[in-house]
Amino acid sequence: MAILKCHSACLREFTSQFPRPSRADNYKRRNVKWRSPQAAVVPNFHLPMRSLEVKNRTSAEDIKALRLITAIKTPYLPDGRFDLEAYDDLVNMQIENGAEGVIVGGTTGEGQLMSWDEHIMLIGHTVNCFGGSVKVIGNTGSNSTREAIHATEQGFAVGMHAALHINPYYGKTSLEGLVSHFDSVLPMGPTIIYNVPSRTGQDIPPRVVNTVAQSPNLAGIKECVGNDRIEQYTGNGIVVWSGNDDQCHDARWGHGATGVISVTSNLIPGLMRELMFGGKNPSLNRKLLPLMEWLFQEPNPIGLNTALAQLGVVRPVFRLPYVPLPLAKRVEFVNLVKEIGRENFVGEKDVKVLDDDDFVLVGRY
């Protein structure tokens, strides 16, 4: 009991050191305008996971010079694993026909259907086999900043030349959050920011791009909003690649775009190089527009996957939820190949319609 009394007395003595609020204090608090507290900035105490070796090191200026970058397709074996032999053939055909860079594991390459282990392995494989002949740009973006940082560290560790970063999708953030997200990955190396509101549900506005453009590692923007936006950036000295194949000719020769990050070049890399390097060529552009429209009648990469299978350069294997285009659309593709010329397309086999039963759909892999 004596111990309890002593404890009670000590507590009274401790609390008496703090003044009790008066009624006047309460009145003051009610009438003071509330202000939002400043967010605490937690210093980044992590050391960068980086190497200073320069075997495959490249600068943002090197990336800015690229005109034709192919968002490369990822082919599969019948059980859904990567078909690296077919992949190597695809990349070799890009190099032979003048592509200067490849996006590995982007939307076209179905990075969204890969584990991060698969993703980083494919980036490393591409660097190991082709890094001396083509710039390897790894899609290491994520809607989680933590994942984007980790994947980008690993991508540069295995030798990629640059990173592609999307803005956080689905769980969207504020404009200030976009700046913080990109600022978290830009210090790691050359970076292309990818703006495609139709997929992310959020536009990256010019005020965000102009802010992050202060980083020397920003190589440029892959812009899908349109050519007016492209011209807005190029007028301010920011490098832009068109993300829309059907607009890339006009973007390149009429709005100041550096080039294109292309899906169509998976099929016709030589003609896409001519479109980006050969000067203004509206007749060639008109010739290719029907193919581009065919490719994007369903969400990418459904059309591309179907076309490459019909050309015989990849197995007709789809990772779900992607499924091939229907028979009537496959017949249309055969006719497009004949109109443009089979010699302009990748591969050497005759183009085929393929039966529905020829396609393999894989849900577990």
Side-chain angles (χ1 to χ4, degrees):
M1 181 64 71
I3 295 175
L4 288 175
K5 288 180 179 178
C6 178
H7 176 76
S8 177
C10 291
L11 182 61
R12 285 196 301 273
E13 182 181 348
F14 177 76
T15 57
S16 67
Q17 296 175 12
F18 297 92
R20 294 171 181 257
S22 66
R23 290 183 179 178
D25 290 334
N26 289 334
Y27 175 80
K28 290 177 183 177
R29 282 201 297 271
R30 285 197 300 269
N31 287 274
V32 172
K33 186 176 180 180
W34 183 84
R35 293 182 180 179
S36 173
Q38 291 291 319
V41 178
V42 179
N44 186 356
F45 56 88
H46 293 285
L47 292 174
M49 189 180 78
R50 64 186 180 194
S51 167
L52 298 180
E53 294 297 324
V54 295
K55 178 182 177 183
N56 288 316
R57 193 77 60 189
T58 192
S59 69
E61 296 302 316
D62 295 327
I63 302 300
K64 290 177 181 180
L66 305 179
R67 299 288 183 264
L68 177 58
I69 302 171
T70 297
I72 196 74
K73 150 75 176 168
T74 307
Y76 303 115
L77 296 168
D79 60 3
R81 291 175 299 139
F82 294 162
D83 185 345
L84 291 180
E85 290 183 11
Y87 178 82
D88 293 347
D89 287 342
L90 287 176
V91 177
N92 271 317
M93 286 184 278
Q94 292 299 313
I95 295 170
E96 290 169 3
N97 286 280
E100 301 169 295
V102 290
I103 303 287
V104 179
T107 307
T108 305
E110 301 179 23
Q112 62 275 13
L113 303 186
M114 297 179 189
S115 68
W116 279 116
D117 284 348
E118 289 180 312
H119 212 128
I120 300 302
M121 180 275 283
L122 191 60
I123 292 172
H125 171 80
T126 310
V127 172
N128 183 47
C129 295
F130 308 105
S133 302
V134 70
K135 295 299 182 186
V136 178
I137 302 159
N139 171 32
T140 54
S142 172
N143 59 347
S144 161
T145 304
R146 177 185 64 84
E147 284 192 7
I149 291 171
H150 183 64
T152 304
E153 283 182 333
Q154 291 190 327
F156 280 117
V158 299
M160 71 181 183
H161 300 108
L164 180 74
H165 279 282
I166 197 112
N167 50 310
Y169 48 88
Y170 190 74
K172 297 179 288 188
T173 185
S174 63
L175 299 188
E176 291 76 11
L178 290 180
V179 172
S180 295
H181 178 80
F182 292 130
D183 280 346
S184 297
V185 293
L186 276 164
M188 299 181 193
T191 300
I192 297 173
I193 290 176
Y194 180 17
N195 186 33
V196 56
S198 63
R199 287 188 179 272
T200 64
Q202 183 181 35
D203 181 31
I204 305 174
R207 61 178 273 197
V208 170
V209 172
N210 291 333
T211 299
V212 299
Q214 299 172 27
S215 169
N217 279 335
L218 182 69
I221 313 298
K222 178 185 177 183
E223 183 58 75
C224 296
V225 165
N227 288 341
D228 289 341
R229 175 71 66 84
I230 287 175
E231 189 165 347
Q232 185 176 351
Y233 287 140
T234 57
N236 292 327
I238 296 174
V239 169
V240 185
W241 293 269
S242 175
N244 300 323
D245 283 347
D246 60 343
Q247 298 177 359
C248 71
H249 172 268
D250 293 346
R252 172 79 173 100
W253 303 111
H255 299 274
T258 291
V260 63
I261 296 178
S262 176
V263 175
T264 309
S265 56
N266 279 276
L267 300 174
I268 48 169
L271 292 180
M272 290 302 295
R273 179 180 172 87
E274 187 176 342
L275 209 61
M276 291 296 100
F277 284 82
K280 200 168 185 179
N281 193 339
S283 61
L284 176 60
N285 189 48
R286 283 193 300 270
K287 182 179 181 180
L288 300 182
L289 280 176
L291 173 63
M292 296 172 181
E293 292 168 359
W294 182 91
L295 275 173
F296 294 99
Q297 59 193 309
E298 293 289 353
N300 181 53
I302 292 172
L304 176 65
N305 292 352
T306 305
L308 288 171
Q310 290 185 248
L311 290 168
V313 294
V314 304
R315 289 180 170 89
V317 179
F318 282 64
R319 280 186 175 184
L320 289 170
Y322 300 123
V323 296
L325 290 176
L327 179 62
K329 297 299 180 181
R330 301 200 298 269
V331 172
E332 287 180 14
F333 178 69
V334 171
N335 294 329
L336 285 169
V337 171
K338 292 177 180 177
E339 291 171 10
I340 296 172
R342 177 63 183 90
E343 69 278 5
N344 293 309
F345 286 78
V346 294
E348 298 177 353
K349 297 179 181 178
D350 291 337
V351 61
K352 296 181 179 179
V353 174
L354 297 180
D355 295 326
D356 290 342
D357 292 342
D358 291 329
F359 292 94
V360 177
L361 309 181
V362 184
R364 288 176 177 265
Y365 41 84

